[in-house]
Amino acid sequence: GMLDGGFALACHSSNQARSKGFRLVEHLMTRFGWFAAKRVKILISSMSLTDEKTNPHYGLISCKELSSMDTPPHRKRLAEVLKGISNLLSLRRVMKEVIPSEIHRQSLIKILCNSQKVISILPPEEMQKMILYFHSVFASFRSRFYSFPRLTKRDEELREQSLLLLISAVGDEDIAIDEVGEGNSAHWRDRLVAAWFLLTFIDKSGAQIS
């Protein structure tokens, strides 16, 4: 309903419309925050260009479909949608759903430590702007992150997977850190982000990972 309309407006081609859409969603989330949980997965998959080719889903245009069209207008539109997605993913209420979940945190690691893959396909005039949007997502996570015990074996497995990915990224190895399993040598900026995650996530059990 109104929240999905706000999502769509937050990814509009107009800067003013995106700003108004973001403010609308931000306001609605303070009153209907429970809707954030169902939308975290689509926001993360959109940011990593792995969302399903369905238009629209929760009011969002498919970034995967836009990225498959190699024309300037479509790449320009992709940049506009990604700006909106970044703003929405940075929301306090949305990040509140990301931080406690090992699977969501791992997905976010894959996005932020492989940001250059997405940025590199955007129009040249949008690349520098998109770097700032990716950083806003990282800053939102960093400012709210807290550590807590892993209570299940699955959580331990996900944490170990995340640490191995981060070790490979910091070491600048060719690793499959995206959803489609493509190996990519990390950009220096992504390696710095990976180093922060690694230093923050590692604990006594993580230190034993070779």
Side-chain angles (χ1 to χ4, degrees):
M2 187 178 292
L3 187 58
D4 291 346
F7 270 47
L9 194 60
C11 298
H12 197 274
S13 57
S14 165
N15 288 331
Q16 286 187 331
R18 283 200 303 273
S19 178
K20 290 179 179 179
F22 172 74
R23 296 304 174 194
L24 173 62
V25 173
E26 185 178 39
H27 174 73
L28 290 173
M29 284 293 185
T30 63
R31 284 148 178 81
F32 309 103
W34 57 87
F35 284 112
K38 291 184 177 181
R39 289 161 172 78
V40 170
K41 186 176 180 179
I42 184 62
L43 289 172
I44 289 177
S45 61
S46 293
M47 196 74 179
S48 60
L49 310 183
T50 58
D51 51 334
E52 294 299 323
K53 294 185 178 182
T54 53
N55 289 321
H57 191 52
Y58 291 128
L60 300 175
I61 297 175
S62 171
C63 290
K64 182 176 182 178
E65 186 169 358
L66 284 173
S67 66
S68 67
M69 301 176 185
D70 191 13
T71 64
H74 286 101
R75 292 302 166 88
K76 175 71 174 178
R77 185 72 185 104
L78 175 61
E80 293 162 351
V81 174
L82 285 173
K83 290 174 185 178
I85 296 293
S86 301
N87 284 334
L88 295 172
L89 193 54
S90 301
L91 281 170
R92 179 187 296 272
R93 190 61 185 82
V94 174
M95 199 56 70
K96 187 177 179 180
E97 297 293 333
V98 173
I99 290 175
S101 168
E102 287 286 349
I103 188 66
H104 287 333
R105 286 205 307 276
Q106 185 181 100
S107 297
L108 193 65
I109 286 173
K110 292 177 180 180
I111 291 171
L112 295 176
C113 295
N114 205 21
S115 65
Q116 188 61 25
K117 176 190 172 186
V118 176
I119 293 170
S120 64
I121 69 173
L122 300 178
E125 66 274 14
E126 298 291 343
M127 289 183 177
Q128 192 63 37
K129 299 175 187 176
M130 204 60 225
I131 290 173
L132 298 178
Y133 279 93
F134 269 99
H135 181 72
S136 71
V137 176
F138 170 65
S140 179
F141 178 93
R142 182 184 60 190
S143 66
R144 295 176 176 85
F145 176 74
Y146 56 90
S147 183
F148 53 90
R150 276 85 68 195
L151 301 178
T152 68
K153 184 177 180 181
R154 178 58 177 161
D155 284 344
E156 287 287 357
E157 291 173 350
L158 288 169
R159 175 58 67 90
E160 182 174 340
Q161 291 172 13
S162 297
L163 289 174
L164 290 173
L165 288 172
L166 290 167
I167 291 170
S168 297
V170 171
D172 198 24
E173 299 176 16
D174 285 338
I175 56 171
I177 62 173
D178 54 54
E179 298 294 337
V180 295
E182 295 180 359
N184 295 283
S185 183
H187 188 275
W188 67 265
R189 187 175 54 251
D190 294 337
R191 291 177 67 195
L192 286 178
V193 173
W196 182 89
F197 276 114
L198 183 60
L199 291 173
T200 304
F201 281 14
I202 201 163
D203 53 18
K204 182 177 181 180
S205 61
Q208 297 173 359
I209 298 175
S210 58

